[in-house]
Amino acid sequence: MSMNDAARAFVTVFPAELPDKTMVATIVLVARYHRPVWVWVGAAGAFAVHVVVAVAAGSAIGLLPDAVVGAVVTVMFAVGAAVLLRAARSAEPDVIDDDAAGAVASIGATVAGSFGLVVVAEWGDLTQLATASLAAESGAPFATAVGAWLALISVAAIAAVFGRQLVARVPIHRVNYIGAAVFAALAVWAVVDVVRS
């Protein structure tokens, strides 16, 4: 396994996922179920599904000629940067409803509910596209999958444990700007790789 490709996937996906809807959804799920560990387990399972699909798609893209792969990867990262930049400019504070708290749900219901919500909410998400792009470009699908999955479950863990405090203290639009900068840098890097080829 290439540690460089895993680290690159982690560094790309982590800042893109922080301001994502999944972080807010995880906070809401913890408030609803009162079982942060089991919410995280459900989210981690959903992220595993997403990473497998993304890496499979990226591996298929990787079979195309190098110039085409470079162009596709560049466009995907540029679109990602634009989406995050737009989100940063229009960010509004998310409101978490504390009155949604009810009875503690069973572990099975918590895991299933969290898995279901995250697997649907994340389908075709920016981080899934980024993972596919990295898998296509690197030619190291397993390392990319591991790095992306670790980034996703790390954000879910942060949201489950510290989500309310993080949203209160760190403006999401700042995190979006950081993510946009990372994606823009990766788009430039992809262009340079295409030009060198």
Side-chain angles (χ1 to χ4, degrees):
M1 181 171 85
S2 167
M3 293 306 290
N4 286 341
D5 290 316
R8 184 175 178 203
F10 185 93
V11 169
T12 302
V13 172
F14 186 84
E17 187 64 19
L18 272 176
D20 196 56
K21 62 191 169 289
T22 304
M23 183 167 196
V24 176
T26 303
I27 297 167
V28 170
L29 287 165
V30 169
R32 176 178 178 188
Y33 292 119
H34 303 285
R35 293 184 181 269
V37 171
W38 297 109
V39 166
W40 178 81
V41 168
F47 286 134
V49 170
H50 280 280
V51 167
V52 168
V53 170
V55 167
S59 296
I61 292 169
L63 297 174
L64 298 170
D66 288 344
V68 174
V69 171
V72 169
V73 168
T74 300
V75 168
M76 291 172 96
F77 281 131
V79 167
V83 167
L84 287 169
L85 187 60
R86 188 182 74 205
R89 290 186 176 164
S90 65
E92 294 180 14
D94 293 305
V95 177
I96 307 299
D97 183 11
D98 284 326
D99 294 334
V104 176
S106 71
I107 291 171
T110 301
V111 172
S114 301
F115 177 90
L117 180 72
V118 172
V119 85
V120 170
E122 286 292 300
W123 207 257
D125 191 70
L126 185 61
T127 54
Q128 195 174 30
L129 297 175
T131 303
S133 298
L134 290 169
E137 186 180 45
S138 71
F142 182 72
T144 300
V146 169
W149 186 70
L150 289 174
L152 293 167
I153 66 170
S154 296
V155 171
I158 290 168
V161 177
F162 304 109
R164 291 174 183 270
Q165 295 87 354
L166 184 66
V167 168
R169 293 187 177 157
V170 179
I172 293 298
H173 71 278
R174 287 188 185 163
V175 179
N176 275 321
Y177 280 126
I178 292 167
V182 169
F183 271 63
L186 288 168
V188 170
W189 187 347
V191 168
V192 170
D193 279 349
V194 169
V195 170
R196 286 184 188 171
S197 301

